[in-house]
Amino acid sequence: MGIAERKERDKEELRERILIAAKALFLEKGVEKTSIRNIADLIEYSPGSIYHYFKDKNEIFHALHQGGFQQLMSRMEVLAPVQNPMERLKKMGAIYVEFALQNPDMYDLMFIKEAPMAHVSSSNDEEWKEGFGTFNFLRATIKECIQVGHFQNHDEEALSFLVWSTVHGMVSLHIRRRCEVVLAQRQSTIVKDGLNEFFSILDRLSQ
Amino acid sequence: MGIAERKERDKEELRERILIAAKALFLEKGVEKTSIRNIADLIEYSPGSIYHYFKDKNEIFHALHQGGFQQLMSRMEVLAPVQNPMERLKKMGAIYVEFALQNPDMYDLMFIKEAPMAHVSSSNDEEWKEGFGTFNFLRATIKECIQVGHFQNHDEEALSFLVWSTVHGMVSLHIRRRCEVVLAQRQSTIVKDGLNEFFSILDRLSQ
DNA sequence: CCTACTAATTAAACAGTGTTCAATTATATT
DNA sequence: AATATAATTGAACACTGTTTAATTAGTAGG
């Protein structure tokens, strides 16, 4: 009975090879400019065979961005010992921005690009909904902040979304090159500066 | 000498017809799915002739989004009589979000899509830099707020960027369908709710 | 060992894309 | 009317994602 299992492993291995090739190409050229034929060339298979492992191109990149969520989530683990929720909230923001700036293409895929699964019955995409533990983590932290007395009269859900939007807005404007409107001498540091402004606003709100 | 001028007008007119066709198709199908051949079909010219009026596809959509900036800017005109800068700031945010939600495809083109001019010497794109008067308007309003005593110890430039990022973040997460992570029953109103949270934070900061 | 059967792989084709270019048509100037 | 200039075209190029029929490889049963 070991044969079927070995075949299973082989199949899984090739699937992984496709993903690795796709990731390498996408980090180098972006999603749009990475073609099925490019990937096929790299792993020395024919273009058609890729369709035995993935339904279409979207599925490849959807599989890829899952890895991104795990990366981001694992970065958040250092926050576990931080007791003060306000402190934790700020550090979360810093980690989020740092991840985005260090992995702009992956961030782009995860949060900016048109969702690969938009056309599918979006309820199908349970991984995104449930799997996006980072937002749940953010919500839980905000909840704690409220319980401790900060953000009085604020709504947990809406405030969580607002905080997420703030950091997402900064990094996505940066990644998509919309920061040219800020003063030239500030452009290189504007995301960091903006984040610090955000922190000092949080500080002012929490006293 | 009227002939040369008439030809000039004719040329300008066809250029305009291309833009109108492109806009119609793009609002209906999006940029990626609007092809040069589609546009050519609509105006009943050959695909090749379009290249006598625009360098490439990017230039068409770059020309289109200029119109979007004018639209957005003209919406801001109602703010001129608002004396209180804090009041004006909030209304600016509301107008910005409203514009984005009412014209998601145009907003996408203007602020989310990969900048069409990224590869060109970006200094070439003076329209974007100078022409984006909305950010200058925001900066001026923030400056007034600071002068009046709000946002003490804050940096004008960074704070302007932060405020822009906040509204941009909310609408772009919404437009690019990343709001599925928020509670299902809140999804339809989350941008509005987030904006209100933002307003109440501004209120708390300005006293 | 040979035959079946299944699964993996392929080349070729389809319909589309942005873009270029030589040839053609239309227009205006002399 | 002939010439120069500009606009327009169809065809071609090199791509794209995807499908499919045919081929090859690998396994299971007799």
Side-chain angles (χ1 to χ4, degrees):
Chain A
M1 286 294 154
I3 295 167
E5 285 155 19
R6 195 218 59 204
K7 286 186 84 173
E8 193 67 30
R9 276 206 314 277
D10 282 3
K11 184 154 184 175
E12 191 52 45
E13 194 197 304
L14 186 48
R15 207 187 122 96
E16 207 56 41
R17 286 222 293 143
I18 292 172
L19 248 33
I20 290 167
K23 185 168 181 178
L25 288 170
F26 133 77
L27 288 180
E28 168 188 339
K29 318 197 296 178
V31 172
E32 272 72 36
K33 304 209 160 181
T34 298
S35 73
I36 299 288
R37 284 172 181 82
N38 291 160
I39 300 170
D41 281 355
L42 205 56
I43 60 169
E44 294 177 296
Y45 274 75
S46 77
S49 49
I50 288 178
Y51 288 83
H52 281 251
Y53 298 86
F54 295 94
K55 188 180 130 284
D56 56 19
K57 190 180 173 181
N58 275 338
E59 203 171 274
I60 298 175
F61 289 100
H62 184 257
L64 264 188
H65 88 188
Q66 298 282 103
F69 288 126
Q70 289 174 344
Q71 266 184 263
L72 176 57
M73 197 58 188
S74 79
R75 287 202 184 199
M76 296 290 177
E77 274 164 20
V78 302
L79 299 175
V82 180
Q83 293 293 326
N84 184 333
M86 206 66 189
E87 187 80 8
R88 193 160 70 239
L89 179 63
K90 290 199 285 181
K91 289 196 168 161
M92 258 183 100
I95 289 172
Y96 188 93
V97 168
E98 189 186 55
F99 173 82
L101 297 185
Q102 287 176 356
N103 310 278
D105 299 283
M106 186 58 91
Y107 187 88
D108 192 301
L109 189 61
M110 292 162 69
F111 297 112
I112 308 182
K113 284 223 142 60
E114 313 219 42
M117 57 294 191
H119 59 292
V120 199
S121 67
S122 63
S123 66
N124 190 6
D125 197 39
E126 290 301 324
E127 307 114 3
W128 166 261
K129 274 189 195 166
E130 297 200 48
F132 188 34
T134 310
F135 187 71
N136 295 328
F137 190 28
L138 170 61
R139 185 171 22 214
T141 301
I142 294 275
K143 187 176 194 157
E144 275 189 66
C145 287
I146 294 174
Q147 280 166 349
V148 173
H150 305 121
F151 305 129
Q152 279 161 14
N153 303 321
H154 280 274
D155 175 71
E156 180 189 319
E157 193 75 14
L159 188 57
S160 301
F161 177 67
L162 179 68
V163 169
W164 180 27
S165 294
T166 304
V167 285
H168 168 74
M170 291 192 289
V171 297
S172 64
L173 285 173
H174 175 263
I175 288 174
R176 287 297 171 97
R177 315 199 165 285
R178 286 338 195 259
C179 292
E180 272 97 352
V181 293
V182 308
L183 290 174
Q185 74 265 27
R186 302 295 299 276
Q187 277 176 37
S188 58
T189 60
I190 194 66
V191 177
K192 250 194 158 82
D193 295 348
L195 189 63
N196 283 326
E197 293 293 320
F198 184 49
F199 288 165
S200 70
I201 286 177
L202 288 178
D203 285 341
R204 190 171 302 184
L205 287 174
S206 60
Q207 45 162 12
Chain B
M1 287 295 154
I3 294 169
E5 286 154 16
R6 194 219 60 204
K7 286 186 84 173
E8 193 68 29
R9 277 205 314 277
D10 282 4
K11 185 156 184 174
E12 191 53 44
E13 194 197 303
L14 186 48
R15 208 186 121 98
E16 206 56 42
R17 286 221 293 143
I18 292 172
L19 284 176
I20 290 168
K23 184 167 182 178
L25 288 170
F26 133 76
L27 287 180
E28 168 188 339
K29 317 197 295 177
V31 172
E32 271 71 36
K33 304 210 158 181
T34 297
S35 73
I36 300 287
R37 285 172 180 82
N38 291 159
I39 299 170
D41 281 354
L42 204 56
I43 60 169
E44 294 178 294
Y45 274 75
S46 77
S49 49
I50 288 179
Y51 288 83
H52 281 249
Y53 297 86
F54 295 94
K55 187 179 130 286
D56 55 19
K57 191 181 172 180
N58 275 338
E59 202 172 273
I60 298 175
F61 289 100
H62 184 257
L64 264 189
H65 88 188
Q66 299 281 103
F69 288 126
Q70 288 173 343
Q71 266 184 264
L72 176 58
M73 198 57 188
S74 79
R75 286 202 184 199
M76 297 288 177
E77 275 164 20
V78 304
L79 300 175
V82 180
Q83 293 295 324
N84 183 335
M86 207 63 189
E87 187 80 8
R88 193 160 70 240
L89 179 62
K90 291 199 284 180
K91 289 196 168 161
M92 260 185 98
I95 289 172
Y96 188 93
V97 168
E98 189 186 55
F99 173 82
L101 297 185
Q102 287 176 355
N103 310 279
D105 299 282
M106 186 57 90
Y107 186 88
D108 191 302
L109 189 61
M110 292 160 70
F111 297 111
I112 307 182
K113 283 222 142 60
E114 312 219 41
M117 56 292 191
H119 59 291
V120 200
S121 66
S122 62
S123 66
N124 189 6
D125 197 38
E126 290 301 323
E127 307 113 3
W128 166 262
K129 273 190 196 168
E130 297 201 47
F132 187 32
T134 311
F135 187 72
N136 295 328
F137 190 28
L138 169 61
R139 183 169 25 213
T141 300
I142 294 276
K143 186 175 195 159
E144 275 190 67
C145 286
I146 294 174
Q147 281 166 348
V148 173
H150 306 122
F151 306 128
Q152 279 162 15
N153 302 321
H154 280 274
D155 176 69
E156 180 188 320
E157 194 74 12
L159 187 57
S160 302
F161 176 67
L162 179 67
V163 169
W164 180 27
S165 294
T166 304
V167 285
H168 167 74
M170 291 192 289
V171 297
S172 64
L173 285 172
H174 174 262
I175 289 174
R176 288 297 172 99
R177 316 199 163 288
R178 286 336 195 262
C179 292
E180 273 97 351
V181 292
V182 308
L183 290 175
Q185 74 264 28
R186 302 294 300 275
Q187 276 176 37
S188 58
T189 60
I190 194 66
V191 176
K192 251 195 157 80
D193 295 348
L195 189 63
N196 283 327
E197 294 293 320
F198 184 50
F199 287 165
S200 69
I201 286 177
L202 288 179
D203 285 340
R204 189 171 302 184
L205 287 173
S206 60
Q207 38 158 20

